[in-house]
Amino acid sequence: MEQQLRDDFIELFGQGNQPRAFFAPGRVNLIGEHTDYNGGHVFPCALSVGTYAIARKREDNIIKLYSKNFPDQGIVELNLNDLSYQEAHDWANYPKGVLHVLKQNGLNVEGGFEVLYFGNIPNGAGLSSSASIELATSVVLNGLFNLDVSMIDMVKFSQKAENEYIGVSCGIMDQFAIGLGKQDHAILLDCETLKYEYSPVKLENATLVIANTNKRRGLADSKYNERRSECERALAELKTVLKITSLGDLTIEQFEENKNVISSDVDRVRAEHAVYENVRTKLAVHKLNQGDISGFGELMNESHKSLRDLYEVTGSELDALVQSAWEEEGVIGARMTGAGFGGCTVNIVENSAITRFIESVGQKYQEKTGLKADFYIVEIGNGAGELKL
Ligand code: GLA
């Protein structure tokens, strides 16, 4: 793959210095959904699929960006001194956003460069292809220009690019999982303090399977920002009676005792999800660490129900796909993953049941929705970095 991309690079940008190769994965979240921007816990892992970026410096101030995934866009060319957001630059606004934030933070990207990107994450599936491009760009720039930025800062800069340059108020989960992922492990991250721990994902005789609804979802125009505001309002009201900084600070008992200060019924159930999901995530990780895989799976199911009934971010496609999985023998747990409103589900399936699972769930899903689902066996990979030949 890498050699092919290097050849493509030379064909596209011409001979010269040898380019360097970088990679950033996609991510899947196992549990802890819509908790990150509420100061709670998440439990994602990096995937073995992601974004490759082949890159080298130029002698001038020109930046050339090309993606094999968007060949119709051709080479997007710009000048280091004009990093303004441009609609026409489409996907290339993601790398531009990262560069913009790095420069804003005083990091010296001192000249132009050229990059060829190739991503093998299904696009728009909610497996964080955009955060993957951001982190791939961060590691490219850090590597080419010896910026000496730590991975955690690259994670924060990438999130900032998404928040301020792209205009999506996402939390830190995606960029964190992509930056700090570790092969065969998931990360329990406290999004308030950024303290984290790795847990080996050992599922004995079962495997993680991602199922794609193939219902495309756009974060920016979805109800994501609305959910954030609902939770912020609930927090503001809770703060009038409790000394807390985020919903993630609350125990279930504290929430139950004080929830009536939240005046809107809708805001109250959104907060209820955030609080219970946070507690559920910590418990789920504890169970996994103890080898209680079915306990972990049950909490995944609870998580989906809460996202469906309280947070209302699932929608008919995700519900159909999860419901079909729940009806299948050999399924230990199933839930939506990511922002919701389409995208993917994540399932723990006994190895002996996988073939039947894919066939039967695929068929039921198609009957219910008219859409064809795709299935991927998850391989948990490492975080972003340079690929050494
Ligand atoms: C998206 C966001 C994340 C997180 C999830 C929901 O993936 O980018 O920050 O909020 O949705 O858990």
Side-chain angles (χ1 to χ4, degrees):
M1 164 94 74
E2 220 181 298
Q3 193 49 51
Q4 175 64 48
L5 292 173
R6 284 174 189 270
D7 294 347
D8 294 343
F9 179 97
I10 298 295
E11 200 177 308
L12 191 70
F13 296 119
Q15 295 290 347
N17 290 338
Q18 274 305 310
R20 288 160 66 179
F22 301 83
F23 176 78
R27 70 95 186 89
V28 64
N29 188 23
L30 303 184
I31 193 163
E33 216 66 83
H34 288 280
T35 44
D36 61 352
Y37 54 83
N38 283 312
H41 291 71
V42 293
F43 193 53
C45 47
L47 300 171
S48 60
V49 289
T51 310
Y52 292 81
I54 314 295
R56 78 179 166 206
K57 289 207 263 192
R58 291 175 57 92
E59 298 297 320
D60 53 17
N61 276 346
I62 302 294
I63 297 165
K64 293 186 178 184
L65 306 168
Y66 179 84
S67 168
K68 283 190 76 171
N69 299 80
F70 303 99
D72 294 349
Q73 299 275 326
I75 297 177
V76 176
E77 192 173 319
L78 55 135
N79 193 291
L80 186 58
N81 301 317
D82 177 13
L83 298 177
S84 58
Y85 183 95
Q86 283 185 43
E87 197 87 36
H89 284 171
D90 197 67
W91 70 272
N93 283 306
Y94 288 92
K96 279 172 63 186
V98 171
L99 178 57
H100 177 78
V101 171
L102 289 178
K103 279 184 63 177
Q104 220 179 27
N105 282 272
L107 290 153
N108 186 20
V109 177
E110 75 222 332
F113 56 92
E114 42 209 16
V115 193
L116 174 137
Y117 292 89
F118 172 68
N120 55 3
I121 310 172
N123 205 292
L127 302 175
S128 288
S129 53
S130 52
S132 176
I133 296 176
E134 289 157 7
L135 259 305
T137 307
S138 298
V139 290
V140 160
L141 296 174
N142 197 33
L144 292 187
F145 297 99
N146 298 316
L147 301 178
D148 205 17
V149 182
S150 67
M151 186 53 84
I152 187 75
D153 281 339
M154 287 193 262
V155 164
K156 289 182 186 164
F157 290 145
S158 298
Q159 185 201 9
K160 203 160 181 233
E162 181 94 32
N163 291 164
E164 292 172 12
Y165 191 89
I166 302 294
V168 178
S169 342
C170 66
I172 200 162
M173 169 172 75
D174 303 345
Q175 287 80 7
F176 199 97
I178 289 170
L180 286 118
K182 179 168 161 185
Q183 192 168 10
D184 299 328
H185 289 71
I187 314 170
L188 176 65
L189 170 68
D190 177 339
C191 299
E192 188 73 15
T193 60
L194 297 189
K195 284 207 180 116
Y196 63 99
E197 271 165 37
Y198 294 106
S199 279
V201 180
K202 282 203 200 116
L203 302 175
E204 289 167 15
N205 57 347
T207 299
L208 286 171
V209 181
I210 292 177
N212 188 348
T213 60
N214 282 315
K215 154 105 197 295
R216 290 179 73 84
R217 40 156 292 275
L219 255 192
D221 52 23
S222 70
K223 292 190 170 289
Y224 189 87
N225 290 349
E226 190 180 298
R227 292 292 174 278
R228 276 196 81 137
S229 326
E230 290 161 348
C231 288
E232 276 159 20
R233 277 200 304 265
L235 175 65
E237 288 181 306
L238 285 165
K239 274 182 168 172
T240 61
V241 291
L242 288 165
K243 269 191 104 172
I244 51 170
T245 49
S246 73
L247 293 178
D249 288 341
L250 286 170
T251 62
I252 285 176
E253 292 70 30
Q254 279 174 318
F255 177 74
E256 290 300 334
E257 273 165 27
N258 294 283
K259 67 180 182 188
N260 289 331
V261 298
I262 306 170
S263 47
S264 142
D265 293 345
V266 171
D267 295 354
R268 194 178 318 114
V269 290
R270 306 298 192 234
E272 183 179 333
H273 165 78
V275 172
Y276 278 74
E277 179 77 355
N278 181 40
V279 172
R280 187 157 41 233
T281 301
K282 290 185 274 183
L283 183 61
V285 176
H286 177 73
K287 285 188 188 274
L288 185 68
N289 290 343
Q290 305 282 307
D292 179 2
I293 296 153
S294 64
F296 185 83
E298 272 164 36
L299 292 172
M300 285 173 74
N301 299 346
E302 291 306 311
S303 164
H304 185 85
K305 287 177 197 156
S306 179
L307 290 156
R308 181 189 65 193
D309 302 335
L310 302 180
Y311 220 65
E312 296 184 280
V313 291
T314 54
S316 57
E317 294 82 6
L318 283 167
D319 285 337
L321 201 48
V322 167
Q323 185 63 44
S324 309
W326 284 341
E327 287 162 13
E328 208 54 41
E329 237 173 86
V331 173
I332 298 169
R335 59 181 290 277
M336 60 152 269
T337 183
F341 315 105
C344 287
T345 69
V346 57
N347 309 268
I348 301 183
V349 186
E350 283 171 13
N351 294 338
S352 58
I354 293 180
T355 313
R356 203 185 48 225
F357 170 86
I358 292 176
E359 218 171 281
S360 158
V361 172
Q363 193 183 340
K364 279 192 191 167
Y365 176 69
Q366 192 158 10
E367 279 161 18
K368 286 185 194 167
T369 63
L371 293 170
K372 208 179 144 322
D374 285 317
F375 297 87
Y376 325 105
I377 305 288
V378 175
E379 279 174 51
I380 303 180
N382 283 318
E386 182 160 10
L387 299 172
K388 299 282 182 198
L389 267 185

